[in-house]
Amino acid sequence: CTSANIFAITGNEVGTPPLSSGCLPGITREILLEQIRLPGVSLVEKTLLPRDLEVADQIFITSSTRDLLPVSHVEGLQVKSSALGIMKDLTQAFELYRQSYLSRAAASSFEKVSV
């Protein structure tokens, strides 16, 4: 991905390549790794090889403009979509995080204006 980050769900692990691999230090990626917690699901940085994408239960990309977007094909390889529950939970957790962040930012701006 040249303008997004890739994630692969395998079992209860959600992996994305480390920044040292040359991937983008994206905001959505950072929020997922550092802020989002789902019971029983681990979000980790790890090297992803083509074989990891072939056996993944679900692949998705992230970007600031598209949030979490499921992937259906990778260069002709049809990927699975059997981790829709985890995908749905991650998407909901990300949206809740964003709403909370915006509420805090709005409250902070209001306090500065009211003073």
Side-chain angles (χ1 to χ4, degrees), residues 64-101:
S64 294
T65 58
R66 297 201 175 142
D67 299 337
L68 286 71
L69 184 65
V71 172
S72 60
H73 291 81
V74 175
E75 290 191 15
L77 169 71
Q78 187 165 354
V79 298
K80 298 177 196 172
S81 59
S82 57
L84 294 177
I86 292 175
M87 183 74 203
K88 178 182 173 189
D89 292 346
L90 284 170
T91 302
Q92 288 176 340
F94 180 78
E95 182 56 32
L96 287 172
Y97 174 85
R98 179 180 22 227
Q99 289 173 6
S100 174
Y101 179 87

Side-chain angles (χ1 to χ4, degrees), residues 93-115:
F94 180 78
E95 182 56 32
L96 287 172
Y97 174 85
R98 179 180 22 227
Q99 289 173 6
S100 174
Y101 179 87
L102 292 173
S103 293
R104 289 190 312 270
S108 175
S109 293
F110 180 73
E111 290 172 8
K112 290 177 184 175
V113 172
S114 297
V115 175

